[in-house]
Amino acid sequence: MAKFQSLKEAVAENLRDGDTVAFEGFTHLIPHAAAHEVIRQGIKDLTLIRMTPDIIYDQMIGMGLVKKVIFSYAGNPGVGLLRRMRDAIENSWPRAIETVEHSHAAMANAYEAGAAGLPCAVFRGYRGAGLKDVNPSIKSITCPFTGEELAAVPAHRPDVAIIHAQKASKRGDVLVEGIIGVQKEAVLAAKRSVVTVEEIVEDFDDLHPNLCVLPHWTVTSIVHVPGGAHPSYTHGYYDRDNAAYLEWDKISADRDLFTAWMNENVLDKGPEVFADRVKGL
C-alpha cells in the first residue's frame, strides 16, 4: 500500500547498498529529483537498469555509486555522449563499471516479463545483430509450436523502481500521462517502488478513462516533488529544459568541473529547488 513520505524518507527506506534499481521515464517524467536524493545519501554499489541512460545515470556513475548498468541506448539526448559513463568504462574513473547492453525491444520485453512474474522474455529480435556476440545473457530458443528461432533475455526484476508522474490521489493511486514508456512495467516488476509526483489531488473521479493509473497497492512510497523531472519535461506541467542538456555536455567533459557542479547543485541542495527550476519553462 502506498505511503506518503518525504523524498529523504522514501529513498532511505526503500533503496540499499548493492540493490538493483530502475529509474524510468521515457523522454519526459525522468526522476531527476529522486536520483539526486540517492546521490546525497551516498547509496553505493548499485546496479542500474534503464532503457535510455542519460544525465541522471551519468551523474550517479560519476559520483562512484554504480557497479553495473543494464541498458539500451546511452547518451545525452539530442546532444551526444555520456562523458562520465564513458570515463568510467574507458578509464575506471571514479571506478570501473560493468555494462550489459541490449536493444530497446529487449529491455521493454524484459520489463514486461518481470511485471508478469516470468523468468525471461521471449520475442523476435537480434537476428543478424552483433550484440548477442558480446552479451552472453542473450540466448536463442526454438518455439515448440512453430520451430521458429526466437530471442530470450532474463526478465528485469529490480529491487526498486523509481519513476516520476503527474498526480497521485490521496488514496495513493498514481496517474501517468503523455509518453508512458515502461514506467508502469518497471513498477509492477519491482519489489518496491518510489513515485515522485507534481501534485496530490483528492481523487481521479473527474478524469477521462483513457489513462494509465497505477493503483495504490502497486506503489510503496509517494513523494510530492513539483518539478521533480527537470531538466526533462512533464507533460501538462512544464517543457524540456534544452539549455540544461547542452550545459551538461560541457560540465561532464571535465572531472573537476563535474565534481564542483555536483557539490553545488546536488549535494548542497534539496528537492525543493526543482520547483524553482521549472518556473518559466
Side-chain angles (χ1 to χ4, degrees):
M1 300 293 288
K3 185 191 312 186
F4 290 87
Q5 298 182 289
S6 70
L7 187 55
K8 185 176 182 179
E9 292 169 336
V11 169
E13 285 189 16
N14 290 290
L15 189 62
R16 297 140 198 167
D17 289 352
D19 272 353
T20 296
V21 54
F23 293 79
E24 282 296 350
F26 194 76
T27 305
H28 74 145
L29 299 176
I30 300 170
H32 283 265
H36 284 187
E37 183 59 36
V38 173
I39 293 169
R40 281 191 290 273
Q41 294 191 23
I43 302 172
K44 61 185 183 297
D45 293 329
L46 297 173
T47 294
L48 303 181
I49 306 176
R50 181 163 164 73
M51 282 188 65
T52 53
D54 54 11
I55 287 178
I56 57 173
Y57 279 21
D58 213 28
Q59 292 172 349
M60 296 174 76
I61 290 168
M63 295 300 286
L65 304 181
V66 181
K67 67 177 181 181
K68 182 178 181 179
V69 185
I70 303 170
F71 68 104
S72 43
Y73 166 82
N76 183 346
V79 181
L81 300 172
L82 290 182
R83 299 185 184 276
R84 293 299 91 224
M85 184 174 179
R86 180 169 182 171
D87 202 7
I89 294 169
E90 294 184 347
N91 304 306
S92 300
W93 193 94
R95 62 177 288 181
I97 62 170
E98 180 183 352
T99 60
V100 179
E101 187 174 0
H102 281 290
S103 67
H104 275 354
M107 292 290 288
N109 276 280
Y111 275 122
E112 286 268 13
L118 297 172
C120 69
V122 178
F123 61 103
R124 290 188 178 95
Y126 289 123
R127 292 177 180 174
L131 272 179
K132 60 185 179 182
D133 297 328
V134 295
N135 183 350
S137 66
I138 300 170
K139 306 294 184 182
S140 295
I141 65 172
T142 301
C143 174
F145 304 105
T146 66
E148 181 181 5
E149 183 179 301
L150 300 170
V153 296
H156 290 331
R157 298 299 303 271
D159 296 300
V160 186
I162 299 177
I163 68 168
H164 188 72
Q166 279 89 350
K167 296 177 182 179
S169 71
K170 289 187 175 180
R171 190 175 72 160
D173 301 325
V174 171
L175 170 69
V176 187
E177 289 189 287
I179 301 172
I180 303 301
V182 292
Q183 289 98 306
K184 175 185 68 176
E185 289 79 7
V187 168
L188 295 178
K191 299 173 186 174
R192 303 178 297 279
S193 57
V194 175
V195 182
T196 56
V197 296
E198 293 293 330
E199 61 176 320
I200 297 171
V201 298
E202 191 67 34
D203 54 52
F204 297 155
D205 289 349
D206 60 340
L207 300 177
H208 63 84
N210 187 26
L211 298 170
C212 178
V213 176
L214 288 165
H216 58 278
W217 49 267
T218 66
V219 177
T220 310
S221 297
I222 293 174
V223 185
H224 183 212
V225 187
H230 179 269
S232 76
Y233 72 97
T234 293
H235 174 74
Y237 287 80
Y238 46 87
D239 294 332
R240 186 179 190 268
D241 188 348
N242 292 315
Y245 283 92
L246 291 169
E247 181 186 15
W248 183 252
D249 189 57
K250 300 174 183 177
I251 294 165
S252 62
D254 181 85
R255 293 175 182 176
D256 292 336
L257 185 58
F258 162 78
T259 301
W261 190 94
M262 294 298 292
N263 286 332
E264 180 180 353
N265 293 280
V266 179
L267 297 181
D268 292 340
K269 303 288 185 182
E272 65 278 354
V273 303
F274 279 81
D276 292 333
R277 290 172 180 169
V278 299
K279 288 179 181 177
L281 289 177

